[in-house]
Amino acid sequence: MSVQPTGGTVVEIPTFETARLRLRAPRWDDFDTYVAFLASPRSEGVGGPYTRDEAFPRFCTLIGHWHMRGYGRWLVADRETDAPLGIVGPMFPEGWPEPEIAWSVFDGAEGRGIAHEAALFARAYAYDVLGWATVISCTAPGNTRSEALARRMGAVHDGVCQHPHGPLTVWRHPAPAAVREGAA
Amino acid sequence: MTPHLADTPVLTTERLTLRAPAPRDADAFIRFFTSERSRFVGGPKTPREAWNFFGTEIGHWALRGYGLFTVTRTGEDRALGMVGHWFPLGWAETEIGWLIFDAADEGTGIAREAAAACVAHAWGPLGWTSVVSYIDHGNDRSVALAEKLGARLDPDAPQPATSKGETVLVYRHPRPESVA
């Protein structure tokens, strides 16, 4: 088959920039990087590894979430090069205990504070734009880097939630007022 | 700004309006995909899986530029089902798929009317070079519809990589004479 994606139809997703990052809509040319992430052991925390075919509906749903909820996870790109670095943002799929700020960083983009920078923006967006009063983040057992980021953002342990892939640790972020006062 | 699908076509037929899927269609979609009625189209699914799959339908539009339409009767907005263009990774050829949410809406010819419009749209504006419909073994209603549309079983067609790894019936829609 020679049918190529046209991209003529779009889900309009707002774009933002932080000091080093661009938070924008996922695009078809990000897909290979997303596939590599889902094929790697790094995706075990999100139920992986997955094949390329299996990655396709997940990538679609990333975009569909924006349409269904009015918000979702951005593709986090390098502000200078636009290279895809990860996926971060507010999300609340069906069956989730409550709305979450989620982060995944692609291979090779770890250790530079990218998830932190994007997650801080996402949390501020959830509080200031979406008007959320509280928000959680969930981490997979043994994902110590993610746990460290949750702690760095001032989130505290708040139980466990059950996911089809297994139990997840729930972290509750500081309330909007505390974040705005710069306590976290 | 509310995220939304932009630049999606709207197809109209004698009785129907086919429009892009909208969040307000999700409940009917999830009811269908969590019921036994979805057994020939990848279900039944859990509510979580069905919700995610609705997101997949929308994302497919964004990534491919086409997708399954929500089928409504013109003048009403109720989602009767989904019919349209489907080409996920793993599919061997571009497909036209259809499903009607409620049994009460079956037997009224709406799936045929919507699918015929989508077949024409595939050969025409989309410029597809082949059009198939993948049908689960045992889905006699869909086989009947494919044949009414003029499609014929193609036993030699390549199989799609389905999630359950099972073979499907491949019905091939004939290229209209007006398409070179």
Side-chain angles (χ1 to χ4, degrees), chain A residues 1 3 5-12 28 31 53 56-57 59-61 63-70 93-96 163-164, chain B residues 3-8 21-23 47-48 51-52 54-56 58-66 88-90 92-94 130:
Chain A
M1 279 306 302
V3 173
T6 65
T9 299
V10 294
V11 174
E12 293 187 350
W28 186 249
F31 183 65
D53 286 358
F56 180 80
F59 198 65
C60 287
T61 302
I63 297 168
H65 187 294
W66 277 95
H67 191 251
M68 289 189 284
R69 294 290 195 221
E94 173 68 31
W96 224 243
H163 188 273
Chain B
H4 63 282
L5 282 169
D7 304 326
T8 54
R48 179 198 298 266
W51 191 91
N52 285 335
F54 190 65
T56 300
I58 293 163
H60 185 287
W61 270 102
L63 291 172
R64 292 298 200 201
Y66 53 81
L89 285 189
E93 298 177 74
T94 38
S130 72

Side-chain angles (χ1 to χ4, degrees), chain B:
Chain B
M1 184 201 69
T2 304
H4 63 282
L5 282 169
D7 304 326
T8 54
V10 174
L11 305 188
T12 54
T13 65
E14 187 184 345
R15 293 177 292 169
L16 306 173
T17 298
L18 281 59
R19 58 164 172 78
R24 61 186 178 278
D25 307 326
D27 285 351
F29 183 92
I30 291 166
R31 264 199 308 279
F32 173 82
F33 269 103
T34 53
S35 80
E36 273 297 314
R37 281 185 56 72
S38 67
R39 68 191 180 281
F40 292 128
V41 287
K45 299 174 184 288
T46 66
R48 179 198 298 266
E49 291 166 343
W51 191 91
N52 285 335
F53 190 43
F54 190 65
T56 300
E57 298 275 358
I58 293 163
H60 185 287
W61 270 102
L63 291 172
R64 292 298 200 201
Y66 53 81
L68 264 66
F69 294 93
T70 292
V71 178
T72 67
R73 285 184 191 279
T74 300
E76 302 174 17
D77 189 56
R78 184 171 68 93
L80 305 173
M82 297 193 77
V83 177
H85 309 94
W86 193 236
F87 190 47
L89 285 189
W91 256 214
E93 298 177 74
T94 38
E95 185 197 6
I96 288 181
W98 49 75
L99 51 93
I100 298 298
F101 293 145
D102 289 323
D105 291 314
E106 278 184 342
T108 58
I110 55 174
R112 179 183 179 180
E113 190 172 321
C118 290
V119 169
H121 190 70
W123 291 118
L126 293 181
W128 283 7
T129 53
S130 72
V131 182
V132 297
S133 290
Y134 294 134
I135 301 176
D136 276 15
H137 292 276
N139 189 355
D140 297 337
R141 290 192 76 99
S142 267
V143 166
L145 174 50
E147 289 179 345
K148 276 185 199 166
L149 289 164
R152 292 294 173 261
L153 185 64
D154 181 353
D156 301 321
Q159 287 282 320
T162 59
S163 56
K164 292 174 183 170
E166 295 165 350
T167 62
V168 296
L169 303 170
V170 182
Y171 274 79
R172 183 169 303 285
H173 296 265
R175 178 187 298 267
E177 287 174 6
S178 58
V179 177

Side-chain angles (χ1 to χ4, degrees), chain A:
Chain A
M1 279 306 302
S2 61
V3 173
Q4 296 299 317
T6 65
T9 299
V10 294
V11 174
E12 293 187 350
I13 294 173
T15 297
F16 296 95
E17 290 185 347
T18 62
R20 295 178 296 163
L21 306 172
R22 177 174 301 115
L23 283 65
R24 59 164 173 78
R27 294 191 310 244
W28 186 249
D29 58 2
D30 303 315
F31 183 65
D32 285 346
T33 307
Y34 182 71
V35 167
F37 166 71
L38 285 190
S40 77
R42 298 174 54 76
S43 70
E44 282 171 13
V46 291
Y50 296 104
T51 67
R52 187 176 177 86
D53 286 358
E54 290 168 339
F56 180 80
R58 284 169 176 79
F59 198 65
C60 287
T61 302
L62 201 60
I63 297 168
H65 187 294
W66 277 95
H67 191 251
M68 289 189 284
R69 294 290 195 221
Y71 56 84
R73 286 177 288 169
W74 288 278
L75 191 292
V76 177
D78 185 296
R79 189 172 159 170
E80 297 304 318
T81 67
D82 210 39
L85 304 173
I87 294 171
V88 178
M91 70 168 208
F92 185 41
E94 173 68 31
W96 224 243
E98 52 184 293
E100 172 184 14
I101 300 295
W103 50 75
S104 296
V105 176
F106 298 148
D107 306 76
E110 238 182 1
R112 293 154 51 190
I114 287 163
H116 183 233
E117 186 172 323
L120 283 178
F121 178 86
R123 185 174 67 185
Y125 186 86
Y127 284 162
D128 298 340
V129 178
L130 302 177
W132 293 359
T134 186
V135 68
I136 62 167
S137 290
C138 299
T139 62
N143 189 347
T144 53
R145 296 191 75 107
S146 234
E147 292 170 359
L149 174 52
R151 286 196 190 89
R152 188 176 173 195
M153 294 180 74
V156 295
H157 225 222
D158 190 15
V160 171
C161 73
Q162 291 301 322
H163 188 273
H165 306 319
L168 297 173
T169 305
V170 177
W171 299 81
R172 187 164 304 278
H173 288 266
V179 170
R180 288 182 197 121
E181 285 161 15

